[in-house]
Amino acid sequence: MFDYNHALILAFMLFTLGTAGVLLRRSALVVFMSIELMLNAVNLVLVVFSRLRGDLDGQVICFFIMAVAAAEAAVGLAIIIAFFKRKKHVDLDRASLLRS
Amino acid sequence: METVLFYLFAALTLASGLMVITRRNPVASALYLVLCFFGLAGIYVLMDAYFLAAIQIAVYAGAIMVLFLFVIMLLRLEPTELPSFMNSWSKRLYVAVTLVLGGVFLGLDLMRTVNTGADSALTGEAGAIADRLFNRYLLPFEVTALLLLVAIVGAVVMARRESPKPTASMEEV
């Protein structure tokens, strides 16, 4: 059996990768994918602790996170499409529609 | 055997996760993200979370990533240039904090191990999850259904063209 600590470290590294993507990339689409990466890291932590505690609640929460991620992706991508239609790019550094 | 498989899937997940944030072409990023999800699904299977592994493939790699690819190809983006790494103080600070935190976590991990007490009997197959979902978590489940409905309506409202004429939109369909 593998060490669960290593699964937790994997989740930490995945979350770090996701955060790095959010902070460093400028394309809105890649930023969204990085957010998905972070959500998956959290899911992994939940599954590991569900396993450690011998309790299925963590996996149920994981299920809810997936549902919310689906909703978030749908709405976020709709926002990106609306933004692209107006500005013809999805560069977050040049996004200033809400700034006066 | 399980250990070998775990490190295999972990390496796959980390490598493809790294590729996600370093590719210039968003399509390549999305496909690497699908690979990353497959690796995570493998790890879920190793931890006996079978139902989660199944919906990880079906919902994440299937539905959400297809939606991403659909939007990427719809927008017809040119590949963006990668950021000049660590060109501002905030980013340097971020990397420094991450390294320090990583060191702290690794140190904590070397010092003690998590108590693997009540293990083994737990398998997350669909029946067990459904039992929780439809008894104890029935209300959150229904709220999730409502949330998805709201998301659908919101996505349709935001993504349609501005000030549509009622007849024109019907003709396009």
mmCIF file of all heavy atoms in Angstrom, chain A residues 6 25 52 59 72:
data_model
loop_
_atom_site.group_PDB
_atom_site.id
_atom_site.type_symbol
_atom_site.label_atom_id
_atom_site.label_comp_id
_atom_site.label_asym_id
_atom_site.label_seq_id
_atom_site.Cartn_x
_atom_site.Cartn_y
_atom_site.Cartn_z
ATOM 1 N N HIS A 6 2.142 10.787 0.713
ATOM 2 C CA HIS A 6 2.614 11.147 -0.618
ATOM 3 C C HIS A 6 1.460 11.607 -1.486
ATOM 4 O O HIS A 6 1.623 12.495 -2.329
ATOM 5 C CB HIS A 6 3.344 9.965 -1.244
ATOM 6 C CG HIS A 6 4.619 9.643 -0.539
ATOM 7 N ND1 HIS A 6 5.398 8.565 -0.851
ATOM 8 C CD2 HIS A 6 5.238 10.269 0.484
ATOM 9 C CE1 HIS A 6 6.451 8.540 -0.055
ATOM 10 N NE2 HIS A 6 6.374 9.558 0.767
ATOM 11 N N ARG A 25 -0.257 33.076 -15.799
ATOM 12 C CA ARG A 25 -0.739 33.078 -17.179
ATOM 13 C C ARG A 25 -1.679 34.238 -17.411
ATOM 14 O O ARG A 25 -2.329 34.736 -16.487
ATOM 15 C CB ARG A 25 -1.447 31.763 -17.498
ATOM 16 C CG ARG A 25 -0.522 30.588 -17.523
ATOM 17 C CD ARG A 25 0.577 30.760 -18.544
ATOM 18 N NE ARG A 25 0.057 30.930 -19.882
ATOM 19 C CZ ARG A 25 -0.026 29.941 -20.760
ATOM 20 N NH1 ARG A 25 0.362 28.740 -20.449
ATOM 21 N NH2 ARG A 25 -0.492 30.167 -21.976
ATOM 22 N N LEU A 52 -8.710 7.796 5.015
ATOM 23 C CA LEU A 52 -8.046 7.650 6.309
ATOM 24 C C LEU A 52 -9.050 7.533 7.440
ATOM 25 O O LEU A 52 -8.843 6.789 8.399
ATOM 26 C CB LEU A 52 -7.125 8.855 6.558
ATOM 27 C CG LEU A 52 -5.835 8.879 5.762
ATOM 28 C CD1 LEU A 52 -5.091 10.163 6.022
ATOM 29 C CD2 LEU A 52 -4.979 7.700 6.143
ATOM 30 N N GLN A 59 -15.980 11.701 0.103
ATOM 31 C CA GLN A 59 -16.244 11.423 -1.306
ATOM 32 C C GLN A 59 -17.544 12.069 -1.762
ATOM 33 O O GLN A 59 -17.673 12.483 -2.914
ATOM 34 C CB GLN A 59 -16.279 9.920 -1.531
ATOM 35 C CG GLN A 59 -14.941 9.293 -1.207
ATOM 36 C CD GLN A 59 -14.883 7.845 -1.615
ATOM 37 O OE1 GLN A 59 -15.676 7.383 -2.410
ATOM 38 N NE2 GLN A 59 -13.925 7.136 -1.061
ATOM 39 N N GLU A 72 -19.545 26.148 -12.538
ATOM 40 C CA GLU A 72 -18.587 27.247 -12.646
ATOM 41 C C GLU A 72 -17.982 27.310 -14.046
ATOM 42 O O GLU A 72 -17.814 28.398 -14.611
ATOM 43 C CB GLU A 72 -17.503 27.053 -11.591
ATOM 44 C CG GLU A 72 -16.343 27.994 -11.670
ATOM 45 C CD GLU A 72 -15.096 27.293 -12.094
ATOM 46 O OE1 GLU A 72 -15.005 26.065 -11.881
ATOM 47 O OE2 GLU A 72 -14.226 27.945 -12.658
#
